[in-house]
Amino acid sequence: MKPRRRDFARALLRSFSIQGSWTCGSLLGPGLAHALSPLLVRIYADDPPALQAALHRHSRPFNAHPYLAPVAIGALARMEFAGGDPGTVTRLRSAIQAPLGALGDEAVWTGWRPFCAFGATLAFLCGTSPVAVAVAFVFVYNLGHIALRLWGLRTGWQAGREVASALRRSLLKRAGKALVPTNHVLIGASSMLLAGRIADDSLSPWVVAGALGAALGCYLLPPRSSGIAVAALFAAWGAWLL
């Protein structure tokens, strides 16, 4: 029996609490089985022993980025629906852990979250009210977060056992890489604007010019040098103030 739309909706909603039962031993395993259960119940509605066996094998240790766990939910449910051999399903489950973890770390922790944080910082330093900045940050960040979960569940279900190839072809990896230099620009501009506010709390032409120069410098420098560059900018500004 094919899962219904409401089964996918319930699985997606449960994916938000996939870390709720996290332990050092099982990691995301129980949460993954909990999120998968609406789909598994539909698949194995007429075979309770098969349902129990499926829930048991999906409760075993599993680790991935929580925002991309819906990719695994969709792919594993598709294989279960297709009547895949339990051993093959388990091997796929093990194989996709590392790619989902690495891709999520790059796209979210290194790309999207710093982009939203430094964008909010820049908006505040340019005079936007703190409340507006906080509301905008929460809205924009979670818009991307929820969209990523929706995309992940759809991609996993459509790809099934070919999910690794689907991830390699997706724009997500390239988007994560593209956000890194953008974040460097925001870091450089925010640092000089913050220094300007500490000095005289104004957006003078010199401060704006310094922010643009810092943004360009952080963009052109190698990624690992941006932190050193920002520290040097602050040191130079402090020396000039003294």
Side-chain angles (χ1 to χ4, degrees):
M1 183 181 294
K2 187 175 181 178
R4 299 176 182 174
R5 184 170 297 180
R6 66 184 180 187
D7 299 323
F8 287 105
R10 291 174 63 195
L12 181 68
L13 288 175
R14 290 187 180 200
S15 76
F16 285 89
S17 61
I18 198 168
Q19 294 173 286
S21 56
W22 191 96
T23 66
C24 292
S26 59
L27 304 173
L28 297 179
L32 179 69
H34 177 68
L36 262 170
S37 59
L39 296 165
L40 296 177
V41 166
R42 183 68 60 185
I43 295 167
Y44 297 111
D46 300 326
D47 192 350
L51 172 61
Q52 291 299 319
L55 289 172
H56 176 72
R57 63 173 168 266
H58 289 302
S59 297
R60 293 170 183 167
F62 179 82
N63 195 30
H65 193 283
Y67 292 6
L68 288 182
V71 176
I73 294 170
L76 294 172
R78 181 61 179 268
M79 288 196 68
E80 295 281 1
F81 168 73
D85 175 70
T88 303
V89 174
T90 300
R91 285 192 293 273
L92 175 69
R93 187 176 180 275
S94 300
I96 61 178
Q97 293 183 77
L100 290 179
L103 183 59
D105 288 347
E106 183 176 46
V108 180
W109 299 155
T110 306
W112 183 242
R113 186 167 65 176
F115 173 78
C116 293
F118 287 117
T121 302
L122 193 61
F124 172 73
L125 293 173
C126 288
T128 308
S129 73
V131 174
V133 168
V135 171
F137 171 81
V138 171
F139 176 78
V140 174
Y141 178 79
N142 283 292
L143 187 65
H145 164 209
I146 295 170
L148 185 59
R149 288 184 186 265
L150 285 166
W151 171 85
L153 184 60
R154 183 182 300 110
T155 299
W157 175 258
Q158 291 175 348
R161 68 171 63 217
E162 303 298 328
V163 65
S165 299
L167 290 175
R168 283 195 297 269
R169 294 192 304 267
S170 72
L171 295 176
L172 187 59
K173 188 175 182 65
R174 280 174 281 178
K177 288 184 179 297
L179 282 176
V180 172
T182 304
N183 291 338
H184 294 163
V185 170
L186 295 177
I187 290 171
S190 299
S191 348
M192 291 305 293
L193 289 177
L194 178 59
R197 287 194 60 142
I198 292 173
D200 58 8
D201 197 32
S202 66
L203 289 174
S204 69
W206 289 108
V207 171
V208 174
L212 293 175
L216 180 61
C218 287
Y219 176 78
L220 295 175
L221 283 171
R224 294 184 181 180
S225 304
S226 58
I228 299 173
V230 171
L233 287 169
F234 273 113
W237 190 272
W240 180 82
L241 290 175
L242 294 174

